[in-house]
Each structure stands twice: as C-alpha cells, then as structure tokens.
Amino acid sequence: MGPGTFSGMGMHTDAHIVWDWNGTLFHDVDAVIGATNAAFAELGLEPITLERYRELYCVPVPKFYERLMGRLPTEAEWELMDTTFHRHYTEHRVRCGLADGVVDLLADWTSAGRSQSILSMYGHEDLVPLVRGFGIEAHFIRVDGRTGPSGGSKAEHMVRHLRALAGVDPTRTVVIGDAADDALAARYAGARAVLYTGGSHGRAALEAVGVPVVDTLREAVAEAERLAAA
C-alpha cells in the first residue's frame, strides 16, 4: 500500500491542516519513553524521564543520542538502538489512543468544508492501518508515512506531501505537530505551523522556534484557522 492511500475527496481551496501523527493526533508519549529507555539499556545508558526527554529531544535522532551520550553513536550503535526502539514501541503502542478530543476536532474541520491530511515520520506501512483502525481515515485527503530511513528531518517529506495535494495552497496550510522539526518543515515548504506541548518537546524548546505554541489540540485548530485566514 503506497503513500497517500486515503485520497480523492476532491479539490479544496480553503484552509488546510497537515497533522503530525505521533505525539499529536496519536498520544503515544508513554510508549516512546518506554521504547527509548529499552534502546538506552542496550548501550548501558541510564533511563530517561519524560521531562528530560522533552528537554533534549531533537532530529536528526542521532543528535538526540549525542546530547545524552556526549558523542554521536557509532553506526552500529545507532542501528542497534533504532531497531530496539521500534521493536519495543510496537509492543507499547497497543495501549495508546488518540489525543483528547481528536475525533470531534477532525469531524468539525471536515464539516466546515476544509481539508486535512497526515504527514508522519512513522513508517507508512504501520501508519496506514493505525489510522484506519481508529476509524478516522475519511477525514483526510492524504495520509503519508515515512518510506525511507528513520531518524531524519521532515522538511523534504513536507514539500512532497504538499505538492501531492491537489488544490491545496501551501500559504493557506498550517502544520500542527509536537516537535520543532514540524515547524521547520512547514517553513521550508512555505506553510505555517502551530506546535502542541502534549508530545515530544517541552514548551521552552517549542517557543524557541518562533511559532504559536498551545497546550491543547482544540487551541491548535483555532490558531490554525486564524493563521490560514491571515
């Protein structure tokens, strides 16, 4: 099943939201911390708390490990931690669900005649059945997950994602995500961004990017509507 599985809802010229998945629509922060600590254990590193994770997390992910280890991991160490992380994440994620209010927010945006899509750096073949399993796929004109190596930036993926959206104007598009990289990718692609504190970054790290930062997804959608109309 290829990228952009959910499509064909017609042309949209109004405001568009590109949603991040992990840490934004999908509240999986506990699974991320559990899997990260399992990966750290493989190298004898001490467990990390959620607060410390949010303080240090960044992409590319090896840079995050450098902040913890005092050096970049070797290629072998990175492959070991990456493989371990994804194995444990898959086990932990079954206990995770959508963030509070997501179903109503998606439905309201669709009912208003506006479009929305998902761009995630989570593997595409895993992302699509997850979205479908929550029964929300009808709200999106496109769902794209990562198809290449993990750990990199979202910027080029964002450009390709927006180019694939017929009738969507990047200047009327707002990216909603939980990481600084979401805002940087939006800027790179000519879109706006709103960052949400419920995922991988703490407020201080998000505010440093220079875009609106909110504590709830309802606030994020309201801010997205304001930005798209500006």
Side-chain angles (χ1 to χ4, degrees):
M1 190 175 292
T5 299
F6 311 128
S7 59
M9 288 179 60
M11 184 168 288
H12 298 260
T13 56
D14 205 344
H16 179 84
I17 290 176
V18 177
W19 291 97
D20 174 54
W21 179 250
N22 303 94
T24 305
L25 290 177
F26 189 49
H27 186 67
D28 63 347
V29 67
D30 291 336
V32 168
I33 296 301
T36 297
N37 283 331
F40 287 175
E42 292 284 347
L43 294 183
L45 298 175
E46 291 296 316
I48 190 171
T49 64
L50 174 58
E51 291 72 24
R52 184 69 170 157
Y53 181 92
R54 284 174 166 166
E55 178 186 346
L56 295 178
Y57 180 74
C58 64
V59 293
V61 178
K63 186 73 175 177
F64 167 54
Y65 289 139
E66 181 183 24
R67 292 180 173 184
L68 289 160
M69 300 168 64
R71 61 175 176 81
L72 279 170
T74 66
E75 184 174 343
E77 287 171 336
W78 160 247
E79 290 178 359
L80 174 62
M81 289 190 291
D82 190 48
T83 299
T84 304
F85 174 88
H86 285 97
R87 184 175 72 249
H88 284 272
Y89 176 82
T90 299
E91 296 170 0
H92 285 286
R93 79 177 187 202
V94 297
R95 296 187 291 275
C96 301
L98 297 175
D100 289 344
V102 160
V103 174
D104 289 341
L105 289 172
L106 297 178
D108 290 347
W109 190 263
T110 300
S111 296
R114 301 185 179 106
S115 60
Q116 50 199 326
S117 59
I118 293 175
L119 175 62
S120 174
M121 295 303 282
Y122 191 50
H124 185 77
E125 296 299 327
D126 294 314
L127 174 65
V128 168
L130 262 180
V131 174
R132 179 169 290 126
F134 284 113
I136 57 175
E137 72 270 21
H139 295 299
F140 305 109
I141 60 172
R142 189 174 181 89
V143 172
D144 283 333
R146 174 183 49 79
T147 56
S150 63
S153 172
K154 207 179 228 183
E156 293 291 348
H157 299 271
M158 185 68 70
V159 171
R160 289 193 294 270
H161 181 77
L162 292 179
R163 283 176 179 166
L165 299 177
V168 170
D169 181 355
T171 66
R172 300 291 309 282
T173 296
V174 179
V175 176
I176 298 178
D178 69 312
D181 189 55
D182 290 305
L184 298 176
R187 187 177 300 159
Y188 185 79
R192 312 282 188 88
V194 179
L195 296 178
Y196 163 63
T197 62
S200 60
H201 280 27
R203 175 173 280 276
L206 297 179
E207 288 179 338
V209 185
V211 302
V213 176
V214 298
D215 296 319
T216 70
L217 292 182
R218 184 163 297 280
E219 291 175 281
V221 171
E223 190 65 21
E225 188 170 11
R226 184 190 70 78
L227 287 174

